Amino acid sequence: MSSQELDYLSRRVPAVRLSRREFLGRATALGVSATFTNSLLVGAAKAQVPQKGGILKVGLNGGGTTDSLDPAISSTLVANFGYCWGEYLVALAPGGGLENRIAEEIGSSKDAKTWTMKVRKGIEFHNGKTVTAEDVVATLERHSDAKSQSGALGVLKSIDTIKAHGDEVVLTLKDANADFPYLMTDYHLIIQPNGGKDDPAAGISAGPYKVTVNEPGVRHSGERFVNFWQSDKMGFADQIEIIVINDDMARISALQGGQVHIINMVQPKVVDLITRAPNLKVEAVKGPAYYCINMFCDTAPFNSNDLRMALKLAMNREEMLDKILRGYGTVGNDFPINDSYPLFPEDIEQRIYDPEKAAFHYKKSGHDGPLLLRTSGVAFPGAIDAAQLYQQSCAKAGITLEVKREPDDGYFSAVWLKQPFCATYWSGRPTQDQMYSTTYLSTAPWNDTHFFNEKFDKLLIEARGELDVDKRKNLYREMAIIVRDEGGVIVPMFNHLIYASSDKVSGYVGGVDNPYALAKCWLTA
């Protein structure tokens, strides 16, 4: 083990990514002395003492000129900024579980159909008003309204009534849901004054930073909110600035040149290039994120399940994993769940590349002629190369694929959800129910494959209220098979989230289970 690897592991201990015992065990197994490993831990602990000040600059991809601060319709990039200015009822906690935010306490009835959330006292919005239970109710009401076009609409459809009683919010559900608190972590559900009903894009909430600049597709900035309720735990930089840099190499150049301190979506093929720089560091985090290619199940020619099956069988997943992710991920199986989720159905047969069988289904579909696949540099890191590899593997099955590279700017407003065959990505969700409810339920607002399956919908509702673990796992297994064999999504691979940062940044630990990562880190120089 190199000194760089030891340093990396030691930094993960204070960040709750690796226990002290695990670190010492790994180091000892490799012949590193206890004295040296303990000195590393002491140094790492000192480095984790937060320092206030400076302007933290972050280069992210995925932004466009049509982006909005309205949490209901915010893009993934704007969602990253949302965790800087926004505050939530609850949030995912590093290492698993939930941490209470505005909701100080959450409890439920025995049948998991009535939920009570106590609103923490003394939390202030950026406009000086105090956060109340009425603001929470109004927020959930707005996102439950189809007119809001909220990405959280799918996970909130199960709510029957929402009422405020003093400092408590009481919700009743149409059906039991043991995972209900996890639904409140959806990144769209930023608590806003009057729920954002007055001006949802104003960028006002109760987070660690106040919005100062909002230039969609260019940059978003905030200054430290002096009355933030948890100022001892996050919001250390005086200002935070998110700069939209959609080009992969431009992000790396900005990091190397010191224009930014952190970048996201690092392509696996350039990881070695970055790690060779003495002042830069890289972190790859395994999780539920996946890259995919979507087909509209209700749009010709993709309304033929034989054609969809042909395209699934024509995907060489192992080649994708090797050449696009270079090992920074795992093979997908055409449904959006991997072993990051509890109750993962691990016994489902892995789909493999089979050009002969793909050709059989393609012929059976009756389609003849080229298929147009739309992609972009922002669809996911390596998406252009991935489309070309897919084009080659399809050709071996007699399927002609035409690849069209769309402009990065506006890809997620003009192509995703609009075009019937395109590349995209998902960062995953805290629970299987939330992932399926967000994009595979028939009524999901972001049903990006136009997948409408009555049996699947019924199983999803049944699984929500099933408290028996084994029965629930079987229901999830059945759902996964339906999506895998009848759905319109091709999931070649689950990707690790790869970030790179300057050594001037400390305390930064990326990952889906640490959504406030940018607000929790700080500058050391």
Side-chain angles (χ1 to χ4, degrees), residues 47-48 281 505-509 514 517 520-522:
Q48 293 296 318
K281 49 194 175 185
V505 176
S506 191
Y508 181 76
V509 181
N514 193 23
K520 289 180 177 179
C521 67
W522 59 91

Side-chain angles (χ1 to χ4, degrees), residues 227-438:
N227 292 334
F228 177 56
W229 70 281
Q230 212 176 36
S231 58
D232 59 326
K233 294 183 178 180
M234 62 179 77
F236 302 115
D238 291 335
Q239 299 177 49
I240 186 164
E241 181 177 7
I242 292 179
I243 304 168
V244 179
I245 310 177
N246 288 327
D247 183 80
D248 295 329
M249 293 311 297
R251 281 198 308 282
I252 295 171
S253 296
L255 179 66
Q256 291 173 324
Q259 285 82 39
V260 298
H261 300 103
I262 302 171
I263 62 173
N264 74 334
M265 287 199 171
V266 175
Q267 287 202 39
K269 66 183 180 182
V270 298
V271 167
D272 290 342
L273 172 66
I274 297 175
T275 55
R276 285 198 293 268
N279 63 328
L280 303 179
K281 49 194 175 185
V282 174
E283 181 179 11
V285 182
K286 182 183 177 182
Y290 63 95
Y291 299 160
C292 58
I293 292 175
N294 288 337
M295 303 170 282
F296 285 178
C297 297
D298 62 350
T299 303
F302 307 103
N303 56 347
S304 164
N305 194 41
D306 277 301
L307 181 63
R308 298 198 298 272
M309 184 60 69
L311 290 168
K312 293 172 184 178
L313 292 166
M315 171 63 71
N316 192 329
R317 291 162 176 75
E318 295 291 347
E319 182 180 46
M320 285 282 183
L321 182 65
D322 179 51
K323 295 184 178 179
I324 302 301
L325 292 185
R326 304 200 176 198
Y328 287 98
T330 56
V331 170
N333 201 17
D334 296 339
F335 61 96
I337 305 300
N338 67 355
D339 59 6
S340 296
Y341 292 91
L343 309 185
F344 169 68
E346 67 282 340
D347 62 336
I348 296 178
E349 182 182 1
Q350 174 61 53
R351 178 161 288 148
I352 61 173
Y353 178 48
D354 191 336
E356 290 185 7
K357 197 171 181 181
F360 168 79
H361 283 282
Y362 183 65
K363 183 178 180 180
K364 190 177 177 183
S365 75
H367 178 74
D368 185 26
L371 297 167
L372 181 62
L373 172 63
R374 299 172 192 269
T375 187
S376 165
V378 299
F380 57 79
I384 307 301
D385 292 339
Q388 292 170 347
L389 283 176
Y390 187 37
Q391 185 181 49
Q392 295 167 15
S393 64
C394 281
K396 295 178 181 178
I399 302 172
T400 301
L401 209 62
E402 290 184 358
V403 176
K404 182 179 180 180
R405 180 170 184 171
E406 299 282 359
D408 293 346
D409 185 33
Y411 181 78
F412 287 104
S413 60
V415 177
W416 180 66
L417 292 178
K418 302 282 196 310
Q419 297 297 335
F421 194 31
C422 72
T424 188
Y425 73 95
W426 280 87
S427 58
R429 290 296 186 268
T431 66
Q432 291 197 47
D433 177 80
Q434 193 171 355
M435 186 67 246
Y436 283 129
S437 297
T438 300

Side-chain angles (χ1 to χ4, degrees), residues 180-202:
F180 178 77
Y182 283 90
L183 302 186
M184 297 298 97
T185 68
D186 189 292
Y187 72 78
H188 302 90
L189 298 180
I190 292 176
I191 305 302
Q192 296 178 283
N194 194 28
K197 293 180 179 180
D198 304 318
D199 186 1

Side-chain angles (χ1 to χ4, degrees), residues 71-253:
I73 57 175
S74 63
S75 66
T76 302
L77 180 143
V78 180
N80 276 285
F81 186 49
Y83 282 106
C84 297
W85 65 266
E87 189 55 289
Y88 295 77
L89 287 165
V90 291
L92 293 175
L98 296 174
E99 63 176 51
N100 291 337
R101 306 297 301 170
I102 288 175
E104 186 176 24
E105 297 176 7
I106 299 181
S108 76
S109 58
K110 290 183 179 180
D111 62 1
K113 292 182 71 173
T114 300
W115 290 84
T116 302
M117 299 181 288
K118 183 179 180 181
V119 175
R120 194 183 301 273
K121 294 181 179 179
I123 298 182
E124 184 179 316
F125 283 122
H126 300 146
N127 62 5
K129 295 182 179 180
T130 300
V131 178
T132 67
E134 286 77 10
D135 294 310
V136 174
V137 170
T139 296
L140 296 179
E141 284 178 344
R142 186 173 83 85
H143 289 271
S144 298
D145 185 350
K147 294 179 181 178
S148 72
Q149 298 181 309
S150 175
L153 181 62
V155 301
L156 297 181
K157 279 187 173 294
S158 64
I159 296 178
D160 188 22
T161 64
I162 316 171
K163 295 181 180 179
H165 295 286
D167 61 354
E168 291 184 339
V169 175
V170 180
L171 302 99
T172 59
L173 306 180
K174 298 172 184 175
D175 302 286
N177 191 341
D179 287 340
F180 178 77
Y182 283 90
L183 302 186
M184 297 298 97
T185 68
D186 189 292
Y187 72 78
H188 302 90
L189 298 180
I190 292 176
I191 305 302
Q192 296 178 283
N194 194 28
K197 293 180 179 180
D198 304 318
D199 186 1
I204 297 175
S205 185
Y209 292 94
K210 291 179 65 173
V211 176
T212 56
V213 176
N214 177 40
E215 299 177 5
V218 182
R219 66 189 180 113
H220 308 275
S221 299
E223 63 182 14
R224 185 192 296 131
F225 178 39
V226 294
N227 292 334
F228 177 56
W229 70 281
Q230 212 176 36
S231 58
D232 59 326
K233 294 183 178 180
M234 62 179 77
F236 302 115
D238 291 335
Q239 299 177 49
I240 186 164
E241 181 177 7
I242 292 179
I243 304 168
V244 179
I245 310 177
N246 288 327
D247 183 80
D248 295 329
M249 293 311 297
R251 281 198 308 282
I252 295 171
S253 296

